């Protein structure tokens, strides 16, 4: 018995222990409470830090929004993970956010500035279960309330495509706002396509359902923004010109041009390529500010109003994507072809002769296809036979810094060859080789047939600041002209004017007009030249009129010829004496011609005509005394000419009196011409490509510089910088004289990228300029916005540029009332073809075009005195509260509605 009693007692003790073990201790926090506590701790920390400290702790800017930042924290509850983000602004000026600013969807939908969003970390990022969404929102609301924070909180719900949210905001001890947003992404009910139906939808949120809204008055405040987009050009609306396919375009031999006009037909680059218009169109925002409506009839009347009656207009360009994209070869322009030319330069060192690239490996032949013979013939025809008279006689204005680039003038033969080569066969080394060989054959034909070399001057000094090939072609043009005139028995003087022997006795005496010496232009001043025109110069001994002779043309010299003569001078050990000897033949020829024209002349007469600076007149003669009143004139030779051992006097004493027409020419045009052709025919590939790179960069830059884009200081500065940069890079490139230096090749690639940035800006500036000819200030303002937006990405690496250009351009320009007619003209009435395909379902038409987006904010205000809770607060008693707010956004096929309701609970 005792044992049984003990056993019974033990069992009772075990039962008591089990009951004690299952005791619920409510002093311990549940998982739900711990979840709220974690949220509260994070919110307290964010609230205490403030915007400035949050930025230092890693808050990031929200894309496309200037003053909106976000910071986030992650939580776990049960088996799920959540992410809470706090959105805040750094400037709180107390102003209400308006459509003038770029806003976050939740800011625009509910009229809030800073807010919290909590969402599950899942693929959809939304809460699909309604109880879970309510519980999650409650947790955040309790946490915010515990730390006395008035931030609104939102939870994304339903399907992510609906952009649906529920939210709540504790506005203090009196008011609470609840939020709800959803979207219809299919056919919108006809009633909700019109302002009248939307007004009644809003009224239904606070009025009794049994009330006939059309017969009752409810004071509702609302704002409206309509977005219009300029119509897209429709090819079906084009009237096809049958003659267009026949005539084609001779300006673009490599391109397939269609009959319809292109936007850039009148711009200088259109000869080489047709660019995509960087401005695809414009978006017009028509905004009605605060309006009060009392019935649905008021809304119906507003729907029939023209957008011209709107309070504000804003215009924003729709920019092409290629403006912000890093070039991948798909965008065609000078820059893309210059990239290919640099690639051809890199390959040019693989062969010693240009012909090797034509008969090269099968891999080269297959990868570098040469255009057919018809294309080649068109290029050669354009270069040599389709040269307009205006191109020969006119010289387009070059950029002030382009002469520092060692290339060739834009309209010159070699520059045009390089521009054609950029587009010939995709600028492969093999295609360039084919084109060059045929080019040299055409040049030889001009030489052998004594035909003028097109696009090249046939006289004048050779410009040593240009590339060597351009100098050689200039030399050949002079040789052809000289050979042609000698064959016709014509004599050419140093000024390239045809003369006869009788002209030698002409009394013309203004030495500055005869170009006998480079020192002729070094007279003391222009007034003395004018005086000489009024009175003839007289010979010192015979007092006869001095005749200015026709002299032989000095031999033209290219850069390499000067270098050869300098090397010879160095080899002889006395470069100064040798250089003086080189000029002896020219000086002796001039002296012989002068003696023939003036048999009674003395050495001093020649100096007075040939080198006026070396004849020093006395004071009376300088003050205007004539030679006839005081003869002989008082003067003397300069110190250098009066030396006993002066070489000029020695040459004068030895020079015979022989007119220029009977003298031996100072140079042989036939020999020099053949030397030029030999140089062109034996040019090494890397030498050709080096010169082509320099000439192509300069010619492309000069082409862009001829673009008319109005008074845009930014572009003028950029074009200056481009030419300076090109000159600097190419100067280093030419100094190295190698094509195997990878660093130099990389510099050229970077230069091509820089060129690409400037080229895009030029196209943008030109497009805006031509579209706003009637309102230049507006075009300049829009371009300035675009320029400031894209400028930070210029010159950055591909990776950085790709990340930065994820932002979209969203700047808008407010339109003055006087410019609205210009903007309306951008919306031509729809054609008949367009009208039958479009079913108009919304009002507020602009020249027959309906808005692509309509946004409306309805609001209803109530005085807080109507609330039972407001009686205890005198300030609140007199305050107007926005009790209902509804934001509507969409079109006939897409409608989003966001509702905010403030209640006194």
């Amino acid at each position: 018995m005792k044992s049984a009693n003990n056993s019974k007692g033990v069992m009772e003790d075990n039962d008591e222990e089990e009951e004690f073990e299952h005791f619920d201790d409510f002093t311990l926090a549940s998982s739900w409470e711990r979840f709220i506590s974690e949220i509260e701790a994070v919110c307290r920390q964010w609230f205490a830090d403030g915007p400035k400290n949050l930025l230092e702790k890693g808050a990031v800017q929200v894309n496309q929004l200037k003053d909106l930042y976000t910071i986030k924290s992650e939580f776990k509850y049960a088996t799920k993970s959540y992410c809470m983000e706090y959105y805040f602004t750094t400037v709180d000026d107390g102003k209400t956010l308006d459509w003038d600013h770029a806003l976050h969807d939740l800011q625009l939908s509910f009229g809030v500035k800073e807010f919290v969003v909590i969402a599950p970390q899942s693929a959809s990022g939304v809460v699909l279960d309604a109880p879970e969404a309510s519980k999650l929102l409650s947790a955040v609301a309790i946490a915010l309330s515990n730390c006395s924070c008035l931030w609104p909180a939102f939870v994304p719900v339903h399907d992510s495509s609906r952009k649906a949210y529920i939210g709540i905001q504790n506005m203090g001890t009196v008011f609470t706002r609840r939020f709800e947003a959803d979207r219809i992404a299919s056919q919108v009910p006809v009633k909700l396509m019109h302002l009248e139906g939307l007004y009644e939808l809003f009224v239904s949120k606070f009025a009794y359902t049994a009330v006939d809204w059309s017969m009752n008055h409810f004071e509702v405040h609302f704002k409206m923004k309509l977005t219009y987009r300029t119509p897209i050009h429709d090819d079906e609306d084009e009237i096809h010109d049958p003659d267009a396919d026949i005539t084609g375009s001779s300006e673009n031999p490599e391109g397939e041009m269609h009959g319809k006009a292109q936007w850039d037909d009148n711009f200088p680059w259109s000869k080489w390529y047709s660019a995509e218009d960087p401005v695809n169109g414009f978006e017009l925002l028509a905004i009605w500010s605060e309006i009060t409506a009392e019935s649905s009839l008021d809304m119906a009347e507003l729907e029939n109003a023209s957008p011209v009656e709107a309070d504000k207009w804003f215009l924003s360009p729709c920019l092409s994507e290629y403006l912000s994209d890093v070039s991948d070869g798909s965008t065609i322009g000078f820059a893309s072809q210059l990239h290919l030319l640099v690639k051809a330069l890199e390959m040019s060192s693989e062969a010693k002769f240009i012909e090797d690239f034509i008969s090269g490996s099968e891999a080269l032949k297959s990868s570098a296809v040469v255009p057919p013979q018809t294309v080649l013939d068109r290029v050669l025809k354009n270069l040599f036979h389709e040269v307009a008279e205006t191109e020969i006689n006119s010289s387009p204005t070059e950029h002030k810094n382009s002469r520092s680039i060692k290339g060739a003038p834009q309209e010159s033969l070699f520059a045009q060859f390089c521009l054609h080569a950029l587009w010939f066969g995709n600028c492969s080394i093999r295609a360039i080789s084919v084109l060059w060989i045929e080019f040299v054959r055409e040049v030889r034909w001009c030489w052998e047939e004594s035909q003028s070399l097109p696009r090249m001057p046939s006289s004048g000094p050779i410009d040593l600041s240009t590339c060597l090939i351009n100098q050689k072609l200039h030399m050949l043009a002079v040789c052809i002209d000289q050979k042609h005139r000698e064959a016709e028995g014509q004599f050419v003087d140093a000024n390239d004017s045809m003369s006869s022997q009788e002209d030698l006795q002409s009394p013309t005496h203004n030495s500055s007009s005869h170009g006998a010496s480079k020192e002729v232009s070094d007279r003391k001043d222009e007034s003395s030249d004018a005086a000489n025109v009024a009175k003839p110069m007289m010979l010192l001994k015979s007092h006869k009129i001095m005749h200015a002779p026709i002299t032989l043309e000095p031999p033209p010299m290219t850069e390499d010829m000067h270098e050869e003569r300098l090397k010879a001078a160095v080899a002889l050990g006395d470069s100064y004496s040798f250089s003086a000897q080189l000029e002896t033949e020219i000086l002796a020829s001039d002296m012989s011609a002068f003696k023939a024209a003036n048999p009674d002349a003395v050495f001093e007469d020649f100096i007075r005509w040939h080198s006026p600076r070396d004849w020093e007149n006395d004071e009376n003669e300088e003050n205007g005394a004539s030679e006839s009143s005081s003869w002989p004139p008082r003067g003397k030779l300069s110190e250098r000419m009066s030396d006993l051992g002066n070489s000029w006097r020695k040459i004068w004493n030895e020079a015979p009196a022989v007119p220029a027409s009977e003298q031996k020419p100072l140079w042989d045009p036939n020999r020099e011409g053949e030397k030029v052709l030999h140089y062109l025919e034996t040019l090494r590939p890397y030498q050709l490509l080096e010169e082509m790179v320099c000439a192509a960069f300069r010619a492309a830059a000069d082409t862009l510089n001829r673009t008319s884009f109005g008074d845009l200081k930014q572009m003028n500065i950029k074009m200056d910088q481009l030419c300076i940069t090109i000159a600097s890079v190419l100067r280093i490139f030419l100094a190295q004289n190698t094509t195997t230096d990878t660093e130099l090749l990389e510099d050229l690639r970077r230069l091509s990228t820089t060129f690409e940035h400037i080229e895009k800006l030029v196209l943008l500036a030109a497009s805006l300029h031509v579209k706003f000819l009637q309102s230049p200030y507006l075009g300049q303002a829009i371009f300035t916005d675009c320029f400031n937006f894209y400028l930070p990405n210029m010159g950055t690496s591909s990776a950085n540029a790709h990340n930065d250009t994820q932002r979209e351009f969203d700047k808008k320009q407010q339109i003055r009332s006087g410019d609205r007619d210009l903007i309306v003209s951008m919306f031509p009435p729809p054609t008949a073809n367009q009208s039958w395909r479009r079913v108009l379902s919304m009002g507020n038409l602009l020249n027959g075009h309906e808005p692509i987006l309509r946004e409306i904010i309805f609001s209803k205000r109530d005085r807080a005195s109507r609330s039972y809770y407001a009686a205890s607060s005198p300030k609140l008693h007199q305050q107007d509260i926005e009790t209902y707010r509804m934001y509507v956004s969409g079109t006939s096929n897409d409608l989003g509605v966001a509702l905010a309701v403030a209640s006194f609970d």
Side-chain angles (χ1 to χ4, degrees):
M1 291 293 294
K2 185 178 180 180
S3 176
N5 290 335
N6 289 340
S7 177
K8 182 178 180 180
V10 172
M11 292 178 62
E12 289 177 354
D13 291 340
N14 290 338
D15 291 341
E16 290 178 1
E17 289 179 1
E18 289 182 5
E19 290 179 4
F20 181 78
E21 288 177 0
H22 289 84
F23 175 76
D24 291 332
D25 186 357
F26 289 99
T27 63
L28 298 177
S30 64
S31 60
W32 168 249
E33 291 172 321
R34 288 194 296 270
F35 181 54
I36 295 175
S37 178
E38 291 175 4
I39 296 176
E40 180 182 340
V42 172
C43 290
R44 284 185 185 274
Q45 187 62 51
W46 287 346
F47 186 72
D49 287 339
K52 184 177 180 180
N53 291 328
L54 289 177
L55 291 177
E56 295 177 356
K57 290 185 176 182
V60 295
Q61 185 178 4
V62 180
N63 287 341
Q64 306 178 33
L65 301 180
K66 181 179 180 181
D67 188 39
L68 186 66
Y69 299 85
T70 181
I71 192 168
K72 63 183 178 179
S73 182
E74 297 179 359
F75 306 93
K76 282 190 175 182
Y77 174 64
T79 59
K80 292 187 176 182
S81 298
Y82 298 93
C83 178
M84 184 173 69
E85 292 184 276
Y86 169 47
Y87 293 81
F88 62 94
T89 60
T90 58
V91 178
D92 187 5
D93 52 9
K95 296 181 180 179
T96 304
L97 296 178
D98 202 352
W99 277 314
D100 295 357
H101 306 83
L103 301 176
H104 188 276
D105 288 342
L106 292 176
Q107 289 179 319
L108 189 58
S109 298
F110 301 111
V112 297
K113 283 191 175 180
E114 51 185 0
F115 54 92
V116 172
V117 177
I118 187 166
Q121 290 185 315
S122 61
S124 63
V126 299
V127 182
L128 301 177
D129 182 58
E132 180 188 358
S134 299
K135 190 174 182 179
L136 193 59
L137 187 62
S138 298
V140 180
I142 294 171
L144 292 173
S145 178
N146 290 344
C147 57
S148 302
C149 189
L150 305 183
W151 299 337
F154 299 96
V155 175
V157 294
H158 305 312
D159 185 77
S160 58
S161 62
R162 291 168 61 175
K163 297 182 180 179
Y165 289 88
I166 60 172
I168 192 170
Q169 179 183 16
N170 179 16
M171 302 179 69
T173 59
V174 178
F175 302 107
T176 300
R177 276 206 299 180
R178 290 178 172 82
F179 309 99
E180 185 176 0
D182 207 344
R183 177 177 296 272
I184 303 175
S186 57
Q187 185 64 38
V188 178
V190 175
K191 186 175 183 180
L192 297 183
M193 295 180 188
H194 302 283
L195 297 181
E196 183 178 357
L198 295 174
Y199 169 83
E200 293 178 358
L201 174 65
F202 178 65
V203 171
S204 68
K205 301 302 178 180
F206 57 84
Y208 293 107
T209 56
V211 175
D212 186 357
W213 296 317
S214 62
M215 301 301 294
N216 287 270
H217 296 277
F218 301 95
E219 187 176 285
V220 173
H221 302 276
F222 74 94
K223 297 183 289 186
M224 182 168 67
K225 181 178 76 171
L226 302 179
T227 303
Y228 299 86
R229 180 169 293 173
T230 52
I232 300 175
H233 178 78
D234 194 339
D235 290 339
E236 294 183 11
D237 299 325
E238 283 279 335
I239 300 177
H240 184 68
D241 183 3
D243 296 333
D245 293 334
I246 300 175
T247 58
S249 173
S250 61
E251 290 290 318
N252 191 355
E254 279 77 62
E256 292 290 338
M257 299 300 294
H258 299 285
K260 66 179 183 180
Q262 303 294 321
W263 76 275
D264 58 349
D265 281 347
N266 295 323
F267 288 107
W269 66 79
S270 62
K271 176 180 178 180
W272 307 105
Y273 68 96
S274 180
E276 176 187 349
D277 193 341
V279 182
N280 294 333
F282 293 91
E283 283 192 358
L284 171 66
L285 308 182
I287 297 177
W288 280 263
S289 301
E290 194 77 12
I291 303 176
T292 302
E294 296 184 351
S295 68
S296 56
L297 297 178
D298 294 340
M299 303 302 294
E301 183 178 350
L302 179 62
E303 186 170 315
N304 294 324
S306 169
V308 178
E309 302 174 12
D311 300 320
K312 296 179 181 178
W313 274 21
F314 292 89
L315 192 69
S316 177
C318 302
L319 301 178
S320 173
E321 293 181 356
Y322 84 84
L323 280 176
S324 57
D325 290 344
V326 179
S327 178
D328 57 357
S330 59
T331 303
I332 301 299
F334 283 129
S336 64
Q337 305 310 112
L338 290 172
H339 273 289
L340 297 175
L341 183 60
V342 173
K343 184 178 179 180
L345 170 67
E346 186 177 8
M347 298 179 62
S348 63
S349 58
E350 297 179 2
K352 293 184 178 181
F353 304 102
I354 293 177
E355 292 80 3
D356 294 341
F357 288 106
I358 301 177
S359 58
S361 63
E362 293 299 326
L364 178 62
K365 291 181 180 180
S366 60
S367 61
V369 179
V370 177
Q373 186 65 35
T374 54
V375 176
L376 178 61
D377 292 341
R378 282 187 304 185
V379 173
L380 296 175
K381 183 179 180 182
N382 181 266
L383 283 171
F384 289 92
H385 306 291
E386 292 182 347
V387 184
E389 193 69 23
T390 55
E391 293 184 45
I392 300 176
N393 298 327
S394 66
S395 56
T397 304
E398 290 184 324
H399 192 274
K400 59 183 179 181
N401 293 321
S402 67
R403 287 185 61 84
S404 61
I405 304 173
K406 200 170 182 62
Q410 182 190 1
E411 295 298 331
S412 65
L413 184 59
F414 185 60
Q416 291 294 303
F417 166 83
C418 292
L419 290 176
H420 275 286
L422 291 178
W423 311 97
F424 186 77
N426 210 21
C427 199
S428 67
I429 184 64
R430 184 164 179 255
I432 291 174
S433 301
V434 171
L435 184 60
W436 175 253
I437 291 176
E438 294 299 323
F439 173 82
V440 174
R441 287 176 182 171
E442 287 290 330
V443 171
R444 174 166 283 282
W445 181 87
C446 292
W447 165 252
E448 293 175 351
E449 299 297 327
S450 296
Q451 297 294 320
S452 298
L453 200 60
R455 305 179 186 273
M456 297 301 298
S458 58
S459 61
I462 295 177
D463 188 356
L464 301 183
S465 68
T466 63
C467 64
L468 186 57
I469 292 180
N470 182 74
Q471 296 177 38
K472 292 292 185 181
L473 292 174
H474 189 175
M475 167 74 83
L476 185 62
V478 174
C479 292
I480 292 174
D481 183 72
Q482 183 81 354
K483 186 175 72 167
H484 177 72
R485 291 183 179 182
E486 288 181 358
E488 294 184 354
Q490 298 173 344
F491 175 74
V492 185
D493 70 359
N495 284 312
D496 195 31
S497 59
M498 290 181 293
S499 308
S500 61
Q501 181 63 30
E502 289 76 10
D503 295 329
L504 296 175
Q505 304 303 322
S506 171
T508 305
H509 40 263
N510 183 8
S511 60
S512 64
S513 67
H514 288 268
S517 171
K518 62 181 178 181
E519 295 181 301
V520 169
S521 60
D522 294 333
R523 288 187 177 273
K524 293 182 180 179
D525 51 49
E526 294 181 0
S527 61
S528 63
D529 287 343
N532 288 334
V533 173
K535 57 184 180 63
M537 290 181 64
M538 312 298 290
L539 298 176
L540 294 176
K541 297 297 183 181
S542 63
H543 200 192
K544 294 181 180 179
I545 295 176
M546 180 187 295
H547 294 173
I550 294 176
T551 58
L552 288 180
E553 182 180 6
M557 295 181 64
T558 59
E559 186 177 12
D560 60 335
M561 295 171 66
H562 283 282
E563 291 177 355
E564 289 177 4
R565 300 181 76 173
L566 182 60
K567 290 178 181 178
V570 173
L572 291 176
D574 188 352
S575 60
Y576 176 78
S577 299
F578 187 78
S579 298
Q581 181 64 30
L582 296 177
E583 303 300 326
T584 299
E585 294 182 3
I586 300 176
L587 187 60
S589 173
D590 290 347
M591 289 179 175
S592 296
F594 187 82
K595 283 184 176 182
N598 303 280
D600 298 327
V602 294
F603 177 67
E604 287 78 1
D605 291 321
F606 177 78
I607 295 300
R608 290 167 64 209
W609 169 75
H610 191 280
S611 181
R613 291 186 307 173
D614 288 309
W615 178 258
E616 299 174 356
N617 292 320
D618 67 359
E619 296 182 359
N620 292 333
E621 196 165 340
E622 288 181 355
N623 292 334
S626 63
E627 291 185 354
S628 59
S629 61
S630 177
W631 192 260
R634 299 173 185 176
K636 62 179 181 178
L637 294 172
S638 65
E639 182 177 354
R640 76 180 184 115
M641 288 297 176
S642 57
D643 290 342
L644 295 177
N646 182 268
S647 59
W648 283 43
R649 185 180 292 274
K650 181 180 179 181
I651 297 173
W652 170 267
N653 294 334
E654 296 176 355
V658 180
S661 59
E662 299 177 6
Q663 295 179 18
K664 179 183 177 181
L666 296 174
W667 64 292
D668 184 358
N670 291 289
R671 183 181 63 183
E672 296 299 331
E674 286 295 340
K675 289 171 64 177
V676 169
L677 289 169
H678 176 75
Y679 169 83
L680 297 177
E681 292 170 343
T682 59
L683 196 63
R684 296 297 177 91
Y686 73 87
Q687 293 176 324
L688 172 62
L689 267 296
E690 280 181 352
E691 306 242 332
M692 285 185 63
V693 166
C694 297
F697 268 105
R698 173 174 171 175
D702 284 338
T703 301
L704 293 183
N705 187 61
R706 292 170 57 191
T707 305
S708 175
F709 43 67
D711 186 18
L712 293 176
K713 295 181 180 179
Q714 307 100 314
M715 285 309 304
N716 293 329
I717 294 174
K718 278 296 176 184
M719 291 304 299
D720 289 346
Q721 294 174 346
L722 176 64
C723 291
I724 293 173
T725 303
I726 292 175
S728 175
V729 174
L730 294 182
R731 191 179 301 114
I732 298 174
F733 167 67
L734 293 175
Q736 296 294 331
N737 194 25
T738 178
T739 61
T740 58
D741 192 326
T742 56
E743 185 175 348
L744 288 176
L745 292 172
E746 189 60 33
D747 287 342
L748 291 175
R749 294 188 187 96
R750 284 194 290 265
L751 182 62
S752 301
T753 302
T754 301
F755 195 101
E756 178 184 4
H757 291 312
I758 305 302
E759 185 174 16
K760 289 178 178 179
L761 288 177
V762 169
L763 265 63
L764 177 61
S767 179
L768 290 173
H769 174 67
V770 76
K771 290 176 173 63
F772 291 97
L773 289 174
Q774 299 179 19
S775 184
Y777 90 93
L778 186 55
Q780 293 173 10
I782 294 175
F783 176 80
T784 299
D785 289 339
C786 299
F787 182 84
N788 294 335
F789 178 78
Y790 288 113
L791 185 62
N793 295 327
M794 293 187 178
T796 59
S797 65
S798 300
N800 294 336
H802 178 73
N803 293 332
D804 293 341
T805 53
Q806 294 302 311
R807 299 182 299 116
E808 293 183 2
F809 178 80
D810 60 354
K811 292 287 186 179
K812 303 174 182 63
Q813 281 293 326
Q814 186 167 358
I815 306 301
R816 301 173 184 175
S817 58
D819 293 325
R820 290 194 176 186
D821 289 341
L822 171 63
I823 306 304
V824 171
S825 67
M826 296 180 178
F827 295 83
T831 63
N833 191 32
Q834 293 170 333
S835 297
W836 74 264
R837 289 181 293 173
R838 181 181 294 124
V839 179
L840 300 179
S841 52
M842 301 166 65
N844 304 114
L845 302 182
L846 177 61
N847 269 5
H849 300 277
E850 66 178 8
I852 62 168
L853 179 64
R854 178 171 58 192
E855 299 172 81
I856 306 172
I857 297 177
F858 292 99
S859 62
K860 184 178 183 298
R861 300 186 181 96
D862 287 315
R863 190 166 293 276
S865 59
R866 300 177 186 176
S867 169
Y868 167 79
Y869 299 97
S872 61
S873 178
K875 292 184 179 179
L876 190 61
H877 187 79
Q878 303 297 328
Q879 186 177 351
D880 277 351
I881 301 297
E882 186 181 65
T883 53
Y884 292 88
R885 182 186 190 275
M886 188 174 77
Y887 169 74
V888 180
S889 171
T891 63
S892 59
N893 296 318
D894 185 13
L895 181 66
V897 178
L899 181 66
V901 179
S903 58
F904 303 103
D905 52 11

